[in-house]
Amino acid sequence: MITTTSIAPDRASVRASQADDLGYDLALLQHDSVHADSADIWTLGSWIAGQTDQLQLAVTVADIPRRLPSVLARSVISLDLLSGGRMNLILGENNLSVDAVGSVIEIVRGMMDLSERKALSTGGYFPLRGVKRGPIPAHDVPIWINGAGPEILQLAGQKADSWLAPYQNMRLEDLRIANQFIDQAATDAGRDPREIRRSIVVSGMISDASDTFLQGTTRQWVDDLLPFVLQGGVGTVLLDTSDVDTIDAFAREVVPALQEAIERERPVDSSATRIRRADVRAKRYAGIEYDAVPASLRDSATEPGDVTYPAVRSTYIRAGSPGIVLQARTTAEVVDALAFARRHPDLPLSVRSAGHGISGRSTNQGGIVIDLSQMNEIQVIDEASRVVRLGPGARWMDVAAALQPYGWGLSSGDYGGVGVGGLATAGGIGWLSRKHGLTIDHLKAVDMVLADGSTVRASAEENQDLFWAVRGAGANFGIVVSFEFEAYEVGNIGFGQFVIDAGDTAGFLEKWGATIEASPRDLTSFLIMGPPRRNQPMAAQVLTVVASDDPDTIVDRLQPVANVGPLYNQQVMIMPYAALMANTQGSYHDPGGEPAARSGLIEYITPEFARAAEHLIKSGTVYFFQIRSVGGAVSDVPPDATAYANRSANFSVTAFGPDPERVNQAWDELAVHFNGLYLSFETDQRPERLEDAFPGETLHRLQELKAKWDPENVFRDNFNLTPNVTSG
Ligand SMILES: Cc1cc2nc3c(=O)[nH]c(=O)nc-3n(C[C@H](O)[C@H](O)[C@H](O)COP(=O)(O)OP(=O)(O)OC[C@H]3O[C@@H](n4cnc5c(N)ncnc54)[C@H](O)[C@@H]3O)c2cc1C
């Protein structure tokens, strides 16, 4: 419901803000070609979108072909993205033929369709050749058609998401006739007529007096409007008035009374499904009960035919094609999503927080994804004890930024886009690891949804066995919906970036390893190398953090690292920890395929390991080779205190390569040097890897707990532990 804005731009903006405050759903912005001083409709729309929070905007476009349809499409998509999915586009005949309007619809939908990788080319009224599609809107921008002639009604039935009555206070009889045209055209086009929302514009005055149509009391307005909803199928009523009292009373009195009357006459059917367009339904996968998606998730669920699907189908390293992505915003929605997933026991189930899983397959082919990215709250619970609550979908760069004003931090990983959910259930090897240990070492409690849909809390006091398992193997036990951490003081840090000659690769690695081991714990260092490049010397990038803001301490710690070999480049900065973590923009993921990643933990960089690593790097089998220092505070925690048991290692070694077979073969040759692995950097799915990740008694205990907490093995997308039912 709305206020319209054929009024001066400044007043339109004030009116829209009032409408937003009053809880109106939608404002209609009409192009004004009469008044020379009227604002450009897209500039006005952008302004209003920026001033309002919830209000949807329906923009009526009347200046085609002066505004090319492809330009129009980019404007509407961009504004939808910026406004968080609040745009609607209204097209009418105006100066255009019906065929031309149809052509505009084709272009706007084509520009939104990023499932198609080819640039957009169309014929017809507005021929286009090779126009780049996108960006991906925040939602499938509904296209409305406004008009009353038989042809435009037919087009609405064939292609529109919504139809808007062309004049105010349309008679119910005329609405019924229009509906018949629309319904028939929809059916002929193979659509469900319910796909097309019907909208009317009304005008009148709310008062105690008169009793003509929409001139009277709230009660009369309800009596007048109710038949349009019940018999005319109207889903949206737009109010066109400049009377401020009527705008106010309509929102406060008429809307609730009308909704109550509708519910009384036509109780809400909670099993009713969201009606998707036929072309969207056509892309559904067999085996998924799309019409059984729980009501709480219906609006946010994404299917293969949806325009937003390309934004959610894949993860950072893995291209996927899930059958449905369920975006949960609350614990109750996670429970609903899990219940839906459990109706499909044979389909893959992936749990996704921020989509940076390497071992964790948080996308899949043809299955179900439970996406927690909206559950991204970061909350300080108790300032005195520094306890913070993090949602699984929060990204570590946002956590660092939120804790900075308190002078606190939590060591996570090196990449700001990684999510709390995946990292804090596995380990967390980060920039402050040697001083502060793993991320999980500061976890105090979790709230989880278990396989049977129940919710539990696990901590040192409650469900201790589950809490032990969550810290290292959490993905196997349920969906963590909230994490409680105790943060610690983190001021500015020193960050050194060195490019060091590594021509004698083995010698360099050995010397770097010895230097790091000899360094105090406030130093943590990561080393990155790639294969040799033609006509370029072998070099290593060495990134080192000193957990201190004292320049003398920083220089003292970094100098030995800089001395490991001849320097090609160096840079040292003192910066907030949050600035170090703010290292990604975070748009959607669109990877080409799926690389192989391998992990190994090692106590010392021995000469034998250094030589084997040099061989691997120079073979070209891997394009990324990294060693991170761990040890220090990570090793202070006893191996049996958490499910992350490989505590004695001083270094974590990782490599990425394009060809899994070659990478595995090369890595297997290195295995003799390793003592376990960190599962978050591992993609190999051979069963032996479980023993590497969870050595000795740890694996046995985890399998027993798996039988207790997830006996049917619902959670299996990440280093799957099969339940040990005999001993469970
Ligand atoms: C570019 C990059 C840099 C990285 N850097 C580091 C680093 O410095 N240090 C480090 O330790 N790791 C690092 N990692 C690995 C990273 O920690 C893991 O891949 C982690 O799982 C990613 O978390 P996510 O929530 O973003 O991933 P997602 O893909 O959302 O989740 C990965 C898996 O975690 C599980 N999971 C996710 N959410 C939950 C939940 N709420 N409850 C239970 N299980 C859940 C699921 O099994 C899921 O498949 C990096 C990864 C990438 C891609």
Side-chain angles (χ1 to χ4, degrees):
M1 322 220 180
I2 72 123
T3 63
T4 59
T5 54
S6 48
I7 48 181
D10 51 344
R11 283 190 47 223
S13 150
V14 172
R15 176 72 52 78
S17 294
Q18 285 167 347
D20 199 27
D21 293 342
L22 282 166
Y24 277 86
D25 295 320
L26 180 134
L28 181 83
L29 309 185
Q30 261 169 326
H31 179 85
D32 180 355
S33 53
V34 179
H35 300 101
D37 59 351
S38 67
D40 168 71
I41 197 80
W42 291 107
T43 310
L44 179 64
S46 307
W47 181 258
I48 289 178
Q51 310 260 322
T52 52
D53 294 323
Q54 307 292 335
L55 196 66
Q56 289 187 47
L57 303 177
V59 177
T60 309
V61 177
D63 55 350
I64 294 170
R66 255 192 310 139
R67 193 185 297 263
L68 286 176
S70 52
V71 177
L72 162 76
R74 208 177 297 286
S75 303
V76 72
I77 296 170
S78 303
L79 197 44
D80 188 65
L81 196 56
L82 292 168
S83 66
R86 293 194 277 137
M87 290 305 296
N88 294 253
L89 177 65
I90 306 185
L91 300 167
E93 278 171 292
N94 295 309
N95 304 323
L96 294 179
S97 70
V98 171
D99 286 349
V101 176
S103 181
V104 176
I105 294 177
E106 188 188 343
I107 290 169
V108 175
R109 291 240 170 87
M111 293 285 285
M112 284 196 277
D113 181 8
L114 266 85
S115 67
E116 191 53 74
R117 285 186 182 262
K118 274 199 325 256
L120 180 66
S121 298
T122 59
Y125 269 82
F126 303 104
L128 292 181
R129 289 202 51 188
V131 175
K132 198 169 179 310
R133 298 169 197 261
I136 299 177
H139 84 316
D140 194 349
V141 177
I143 300 181
W144 303 33
I145 283 191
N146 173 222
E151 287 186 339
I152 198 85
L153 292 173
Q154 208 172 11
L155 183 68
Q158 289 164 345
K159 299 195 168 163
D161 299 301
S162 186
W163 170 76
L164 174 62
Y167 50 85
Q168 290 176 1
N169 296 352
M170 181 182 235
R171 292 185 319 143
L172 184 57
E173 195 44 40
D174 293 339
L175 173 65
R176 282 205 181 106
I177 294 168
N179 277 341
Q180 280 169 10
F181 274 96
I182 296 169
D183 292 353
Q184 188 60 51
T187 307
D188 292 348
R191 302 182 70 191
D192 181 337
R194 292 174 305 163
E195 288 174 34
I196 304 129
R197 196 175 181 85
R198 318 298 154 102
S199 314
I200 55 169
V201 185
V202 299
S203 179
M205 181 87 84
I206 300 170
S207 66
D208 296 334
S210 178
D211 58 0
T212 53
F213 186 73
L214 298 184
Q215 300 286 338
T217 60
T218 296
R219 174 70 190 273
Q220 188 188 334
W221 274 69
V222 171
D223 290 346
D224 287 344
L225 291 176
L226 195 57
F228 285 84
V229 179
L230 298 178
Q231 293 149 41
V234 163
T236 305
V237 178
L238 298 110
L239 173 69
D240 187 1
T241 181
S242 53
D243 180 54
V244 177
D245 292 339
T246 298
I247 291 172
D248 198 78
F250 186 79
R252 292 184 202 278
E253 295 164 21
V254 176
V255 172
L258 182 59
Q259 278 167 342
E260 204 183 298
I262 295 167
E263 275 166 35
R264 204 170 41 241
E265 298 289 328
R266 193 183 60 193
V268 178
D269 176 5
S270 62
S271 67
T273 59
R274 171 178 162 196
I275 308 289
R276 281 185 155 78
R277 284 200 312 271
D279 59 320
V280 175
R281 289 202 309 272
K283 293 193 178 167
R284 288 179 164 181
Y285 292 2
I288 295 185
E289 295 178 63
Y290 290 96
D291 290 337
V293 169
S296 62
L297 297 158
R298 233 168 255 154
D299 288 343
S300 58
T302 310
E303 304 180 5
D306 288 334
V307 293
T308 47
Y309 182 73
V312 297
R313 63 184 298 173
S314 298
T315 57
Y316 186 83
I317 68 157
R318 206 164 267 128
S321 307
I324 192 162
V325 178
L326 300 170
Q327 302 245 1
R329 290 157 298 195
T330 61
T331 301
E333 290 184 8
V334 174
V335 172
D336 288 349
L338 186 58
F340 178 80
R342 295 210 58 184
R343 292 170 71 120
H344 304 80
D346 298 329
L347 292 184
L349 167 63
S350 297
V351 176
R352 181 189 299 167
S353 284
H356 285 71
I358 296 173
S359 61
R361 287 167 160 71
S362 58
T363 189
N364 56 52
Q365 314 299 328
I368 295 163
V369 174
I370 300 179
D371 183 309
L372 311 164
S373 57
Q374 306 296 311
M375 297 177 73
N376 56 2
E377 58 286 334
I378 301 167
Q379 210 185 339
V380 173
I381 301 292
D382 180 20
E383 215 169 318
S385 58
R386 294 191 300 266
V387 174
V388 296
R389 184 177 295 147
L390 307 180
R395 300 174 309 164
W396 287 106
M397 61 190 281
D398 300 322
V399 175
L403 299 188
Q404 190 196 338
Y406 297 88
W408 306 342
L410 273 172
S411 183
S412 50
D414 63 348
Y415 190 67
V418 165
V420 169
L423 183 133
T425 45
I429 297 179
W431 290 121
L432 305 171
S433 286
R434 289 183 80 237
K435 182 167 168 74
H436 291 291
L438 300 174
T439 309
I440 55 168
D441 298 339
H442 301 272
L443 188 57
K444 295 295 161 200
V446 289
D447 292 308
M448 290 181 83
V449 175
L450 299 176
D452 63 3
S454 60
T455 50
V456 292
R457 188 173 171 83
S459 68
E461 289 78 39
E462 293 166 82
N463 299 308
Q464 292 96 336
D465 58 354
L466 184 60
F467 188 52
W468 173 85
V470 163
R471 289 172 294 162
N476 268 283
F477 290 88
I479 302 176
V480 181
V481 289
S482 160
F483 294 82
E484 265 175 45
F485 281 98
E486 187 178 320
Y488 34 80
E489 308 277 339
V490 177
N492 283 349
I493 48 103
F495 181 50
Q497 294 171 277
F498 305 116
V499 181
I500 305 180
D501 183 281
D504 167 17
T505 305
F508 162 78
L509 292 176
E510 217 186 315
K511 196 163 171 200
W512 175 82
T515 306
I516 303 307
E517 273 189 60
S519 300
R521 286 175 171 211
D522 55 11
L523 177 142
T524 297
S525 186
F526 295 0
L527 162 166
I528 300 164
M529 291 191 72
R533 296 198 192 164
R534 247 175 110 191
N535 300 327
Q536 284 188 32
M538 281 297 279
Q541 207 185 354
V542 176
L543 308 172
T544 305
V545 166
V546 180
S548 166
D549 59 0
D550 171 42
D552 292 336
T553 307
I554 293 168
V555 171
D556 179 63
R557 303 291 192 265
L558 291 180
Q559 194 60 57
V561 181
N563 290 346
V564 168
L567 284 179
Y568 288 123
N569 205 345
Q570 61 169 314
Q571 178 169 281
V572 177
M573 286 179 280
I574 298 180
M575 64 202 301
Y577 174 69
L580 181 64
M581 290 302 292
N583 52 19
T584 174
Q585 299 294 327
S587 72
Y588 72 96
H589 305 125
D590 189 18
E594 176 172 340
R598 296 301 312 268
S599 162
L601 294 166
I602 192 167
E603 301 207 357
Y604 309 106
I605 310 286
T606 59
E608 296 74 24
F609 172 71
R611 276 199 300 279
E614 172 168 358
H615 177 71
L616 173 73
I617 295 165
K618 291 188 172 166
S619 71
T621 304
V622 298
Y623 53 74
F624 177 89
F625 177 88
Q626 184 181 54
I627 309 182
R628 295 169 173 227
S629 54
V630 273
V634 177
S635 306
D636 290 346
V637 177
D640 61 356
T642 64
Y644 183 105
N646 287 316
R647 294 281 180 173
S648 63
N650 283 313
F651 299 97
S652 159
V653 187
T654 312
F656 281 77
D659 178 346
E661 218 168 291
R662 283 186 62 205
V663 173
N664 282 347
Q665 199 180 353
W667 205 257
D668 288 350
E669 285 167 22
L670 289 185
V672 46
H673 304 284
F674 294 136
N675 194 2
L677 62 77
Y678 174 38
L679 69 83
S680 272
F681 291 139
E682 180 64 66
T683 56
D684 184 20
Q685 292 197 292
R686 286 173 289 178
E688 309 88 274
R689 295 295 83 79
L690 276 177
E691 286 156 25
D692 295 339
F694 307 116
E697 182 51 26
T698 310
L699 180 57
H700 184 66
R701 189 171 172 202
L702 281 171
Q703 280 169 331
E704 284 186 355
L705 291 176
K706 179 79 172 171
K708 174 178 172 188
W709 295 100
D710 182 19
E712 292 174 49
N713 200 15
V714 172
F715 301 108
R716 53 185 187 273
D717 77 349
N718 192 355
F719 258 71
N720 190 207
L721 300 159
T722 43
N724 187 347
V725 275
T726 48
S727 51

